[in-house]
Amino acid sequence: MNEYPLLSPSYLMAAMRHDQTFQHAAAMLHDDWDPNEGGLFREMLQAPDIEMARALQQAGMVKGRWQLDDYGHVKDLLALHAEWFSPTARNALLAPFE
């Protein structure tokens, strides 16, 4: 029996295609997000990126440096990289702990 929950079909397709949300989620989990990669404007992580990252971790697909189910990790992530997150992404990160 699988000890990890399965990804939803939409998340599974995003992971298989390595779409933008998957790439954002994986980069954030691996502490490899570059908000200036877009060139002329600063790209921030959004709530769907956080939801994807959380689903990937729960499914055991991407472990990463940051454990999003651990308040200490989330607090440290926000303290170190506050500029990475839009207000909705910040809220999505903190929602499970409220």
Side-chain angles (χ1 to χ4, degrees):
M1 186 132 198
N2 188 2
E3 65 182 273
Y4 299 108
L6 297 175
L7 281 178
S8 69
S10 61
Y11 284 152
L12 186 57
M13 287 301 295
M16 289 172 53
R17 292 182 179 155
H18 282 193
D19 75 3
Q20 185 177 19
T21 302
F22 173 84
Q23 290 176 30
H24 289 183
M28 187 263 305
L29 289 171
H30 289 296
D31 204 29
D32 192 30
W33 174 250
D34 182 3
N36 298 313
E37 189 175 282
L40 296 176
F41 64 95
R42 182 178 202 93
E43 189 171 11
M44 300 177 98
L45 293 165
Q46 302 297 322
D49 303 323
I50 305 307
E51 293 161 4
M52 168 67 96
R54 191 167 274 126
L56 290 170
Q57 279 194 332
Q58 289 171 349
M61 287 185 69
V62 178
K63 182 174 172 148
R65 176 174 179 212
W66 303 105
Q67 298 304 310
L68 301 184
D69 61 352
D70 181 307
Y71 179 72
H73 277 239
V74 170
K75 182 182 68 146
D76 291 345
L77 174 59
L78 288 171
L80 289 171
H81 302 297
E83 73 281 0
W84 287 6
F85 301 98
S86 70
T88 58
R90 182 186 218 23
N91 290 342
L93 272 172
L94 294 172
F97 308 106
E98 295 176 342

